Amino acid sequence: MLAWTRRTICTLLVAIVSMVAVGTLAMAETTLERGKREGKLRIGFNSEKPFAYIDENGKPTGLAIENARAILTKIGIANIEAVDMAWDSLIPALQANQIDIIATGMAVRPKRCEVVIFDEPSVGIGSAMMVKAGNPKNIHSYDDAVKSADARIGVIQGAEEGNWLKALGMPEARLVNFPDPAAMLAGLKADRIDAFALAPVTVQAMLNELGPSGGVERALPFGDVVIEGALMKFYQGEVFRKEDTDLRDAFNTQLATFRGSPEQAALYAPFGITSAENPPTPPKTAQELCEGK
């Protein structure tokens, strides 16, 4: 009986030690190491053409997703699992380990840098607005929208366009939040809003799909967004958890030669991005953007 008890105790101790060792190993493994071991990472995105979306064949694509896919492949991670979610759920989902990277055209901003880290931006673009056919409110800039007596402007919940409009003096009552571009387009057609603000490439992609009889148009010409003398642009990058510096650094290592290369230019071309939006050396670094410069 005593011998049996000793054997049992020894077996239990071995099992406990093994469990602790496995747990310690799992805790020590970084997201980059797990991605290389499993050959896959989870990419979070909010559906907005041409940045990130599911195409007609069910494939996750878009300039942000394809850029992340290309870089991950170079790192040694061949597959991605793309997860579509609301814009303002992306960073909480990243922090909660529900996704591993955000690749959706998210701009580098100081407040975001307080809770996440970015790789070096690859694309810098301005803003545009979609309006009803004929542009009845005569909106050709953010300033026009703000100065209008009653223009209602649609924005993506949590995205930068709303912040820019508020900084220029847009009353909250005339800003209408939507979860995604498709909902904003429906809102414009249903007369819930008079215009909506998005990236120029997104507005143009929507128009290309709608055709000339869509009942809406891009507001042209359209002035730059300038706040307190500074030109506002979206400098976008992939987004990582604060602790995933090795994964972010691996991205930056690849970007050093990939950004602005013929390979990346060919990847971006179908989504309307040219060297004007994606120069070999971006005008601002992630650190500068995080510092609000």
Side-chain angles (χ1 to χ4, degrees), residues 119-131:
D119 63 358
E120 294 300 327
S122 285
V123 176
I125 57 177
S127 192
M129 283 194 184
M130 186 86 85
V131 296

Side-chain angles (χ1 to χ4, degrees), residues 188-286:
L188 182 61
K189 289 186 172 184
D191 199 35
R192 291 181 56 202
I193 53 176
D194 300 294
F196 62 78
L198 278 175
V201 288
T202 303
V203 170
Q204 194 58 51
M206 296 174 80
L207 283 174
N208 293 344
E209 285 193 357
L210 288 168
S213 59
V216 296
E217 64 185 57
R218 180 175 172 180
L220 291 172
F222 198 79
D224 290 331
V225 183
V226 179
I227 299 175
E228 297 181 352
L231 177 64
M232 296 292 105
K233 279 195 172 186
F234 297 94
Y235 292 99
Q236 295 136 19
E238 284 80 16
V239 191
F240 310 87
R241 283 183 284 273
K242 280 278 191 179
E243 62 268 27
D244 284 338
T245 53
D246 59 340
L247 181 56
R248 187 274 313 276
D249 292 347
F251 263 70
N252 280 338
T253 297
Q254 296 300 328
L255 276 170
T257 54
F258 187 57
R259 184 192 297 106
S261 67
E263 182 184 358
Q264 191 183 51
L267 182 151
Y268 279 158
F271 305 111
I273 297 296
T274 69
S275 59
E277 296 86 16
N278 182 41
T281 302
K284 295 188 179 183
T285 66

Side-chain angles (χ1 to χ4, degrees), residues 126-166:
S127 192
M129 283 194 184
M130 186 86 85
V131 296
K132 296 175 183 177
N135 196 358
K137 295 291 183 180
N138 198 28
I139 297 172
H140 291 282
S141 67
Y142 275 37
D143 288 324
D144 287 345
V146 172
K147 292 173 184 176
S148 171
D150 57 0
R152 302 155 298 169
I153 309 300
V155 294
I156 298 293
Q157 175 73 44
E160 209 60 41
E161 291 90 351
N163 295 332
W164 289 350
L165 283 162
K166 285 186 282 188

